[in-house]
Structures are given as C-alpha cells and as structure tokens.
Amino acid sequence: MNSPADRPLLRIGELSRRLGVSDHVLRAWENRYGLLQPVRSPGGFRLYSEADEARVRQMQAYLADGLSAAEAAGAAAEAAGAAAEAAGAALEGGTSPDPAWLAGPPVAAGSEPLAALRQALDAFDEPTAQAVLDRLMTELSLPAVLRDVVLPYLADLGERWQRGTASIAMEHFASNLIRGRLAGLARGWGSGHGPQALLACPPGELHDMALMVFGIMLNRNGWRIGYLGASTPVEELARAAGTSPPDLIVLAATVPENLEPLRSELASLAGRVPLALAGVGATAQIASAVGARLMTRDPVTEAEQTRWPR
C-alpha cells in the first residue's frame, strides 16, 4: 500500500452504501473481473480502499456509456493502471491476478469471528455460540457470515476431526448446532415463483451442509429449492425430478468415489435435466463424462453466479 487511497478502510456494507451498488453485485464484480482488491483485517473481515471505490465509480461511468459489464470492468482497470503509472506507481508483473486469490483466503483459525465461534463450540457452550452467530448476523451480510465464517469453520472442524484433535462428540455438537441455524435460514425456500433447483448428495455422501449453504444463497437469488440432502439414491433423485421437473439439479460430493460408480445414471439424468456437480469430490473428468456442469468455487459464490434459465 503506497498511498492513503490504497489503505483498506471500508467494509463491504459501507462501500455498498457509498456507491449505491448492492454487496451481491460488488462481490460478483470482485470475483468475475478482479475489480476490487480487498485485504483481510486482523479480525478476518474484508476491507476495501478508496482506490477500490474509485474503480467501481469508473466502471459505473462506463456502464452508463453503454459498455457491457466485462468491457466496463476492463476499461476501469486500464484507467486505474494508467493513473497509477502517471503517478509513478511501480506495478509488478504483466498478467491479471487470479480472481480466486483476489477474493481473499479463508478466514484464519486465529481470527476473531472464527476463534470466538470455535471457542464456544469446543466448550459445548450453546448459548455463547448462538450469541456469536447472532452478533455476526447483525454486523455482516448473510453471504459474508456463510462464506467467511461458517464454511471455514466447518472445514477447520473436519480437518481437526481427521487429525484426531476434535472428538466425535465435539464434531456432532458443532455440526448439529450449525445445521439448526442453516435449517432456520432455509425455512420457506421452496416457496415463490422463480426457477426450481433440486439439491442432493449421492449415495454414501453424508456431508451436506455446504450444499445447504448453496441452497440458502440460491434461494436468496430467487430460486425455489427442493432439498433431498445426504445419501440420496440416484433413482430417487430421478423420480423426484420426474414428479416436479426442476430447472437445475445439483449433486454434491466430498470424494470422487461417491460419484464414479454413477456415471451412466448421471449421464442419463443430465440428458433430461440440466445437471451440475459440486464439492471437492466432483472432478472435471466425471463432469465431462456425464455431460454436467462443474461447480468449482465456494457454495456462496456459485449460488450468487448461478443464472436463471432463459
């Protein structure tokens, strides 16, 4: 950071208010075009600079001139680069940064929001854990809570359980508490008049909370959600799709072994309904073989960027 304009000062809510652009749109521009370059505060929150604000305002001006979003973002970035060169700023490299890197790393285990949640759950302290989540929900947007706190916590819990540093009781307690919160957020997600998504995990897949997060955020974007959850036989998934034809089916897995044996059934399903595969168990090879879309980003970002069918 070489100038006051580059210093990260703003959370996304304040940036959204200043610009008159929703935080959903700002995150989309950040992830798709690398327009914003936030850093993490010691507490684990994304912070944006006045330089980020200036780039968005420049993009808004180009949009008003009739450019597409991609063209406007590119022109705004070029204008910012030219201004930096004119000011004598030293730019390293000649390629655009990886958008996944620009979105920022997961919240570190020692950061304040994650540490407070982890401490309460590790102590089996349900009231305190609920209070931590309540506070985060008032201070941050729902996408920020889910993407920057809940999902990293679940990943950290899974890693600790695999290493043997988190007990079965601890994992069950924390998972059930978070599942309860997610279930509350999911209430009524099948209502409305938008397109319908049918969400499930393949047989043998018991980890479905990331899929719940995806469904919650997809519903916030106007989709109706049909949720079958963990370890769903493909024939039951197909039967449900036949009863109430969805606009999209998303199947999530944590290991490829839960998808590999299903290639023929999934190919048949993908021939009838748009199919997407998600989770670390979904590989490009499997998706290509069955004719499915591969979702590679985190559940919140994927939900934000899943378009309505035309």
Side-chain angles (χ1 to χ4, degrees), residues 219-303:
N219 176 246
R220 293 305 193 274
N221 290 335
W223 287 70
R224 292 175 294 127
I225 305 301
Y227 194 76
L228 304 185
S231 196
T232 302
V234 177
E235 59 270 22
E236 293 299 326
L237 178 59
R239 184 175 293 111
T243 301
S244 179
D247 298 283
L248 175 67
I249 292 177
V250 178
L251 200 63
T254 58
V255 293
E257 290 76 11
N258 287 336
L259 292 173
E260 283 285 1
L262 307 174
R263 287 194 179 205
S264 60
E265 294 97 320
L266 294 180
S268 175
L269 188 62
R272 293 186 286 135
V273 181
L275 175 67
L277 302 181
V280 295
T283 66
Q285 292 81 1
I286 298 174
S288 177
V290 305
R293 168 190 166 194
L294 181 64
M295 293 183 166
T296 59
R297 293 161 295 195
D298 69 88
V300 174
T301 302
E302 285 291 352

Side-chain angles (χ1 to χ4, degrees), residues 117-200:
L117 183 62
R118 175 174 168 171
Q119 181 178 0
L121 291 173
D122 284 1
F124 300 94
D125 186 346
E126 190 266 350
T128 299
Q130 298 285 13
V132 170
L133 290 169
D134 287 340
R135 176 173 61 83
L136 290 172
M137 292 292 287
T138 61
E139 293 179 352
L140 303 174
S141 66
L142 179 60
V145 174
L146 295 177
R147 177 166 41 207
D148 298 340
V149 180
V150 172
L151 288 173
Y153 172 78
L154 290 173
D156 173 66
L157 178 63
E159 291 172 2
R160 289 192 291 141
W161 182 83
Q162 290 181 340
R163 293 195 305 265
T165 57
S167 68
I168 293 176
M170 190 181 298
E171 191 274 338
H172 284 190
F173 176 83
S175 295
N176 284 326
L177 186 145
I178 292 175
R179 179 179 294 277
R181 294 294 294 231
L182 295 178
L185 293 169
R187 183 176 180 179
W189 63 1
S191 302
H193 303 284
Q196 183 178 25
L198 188 59
L199 313 183

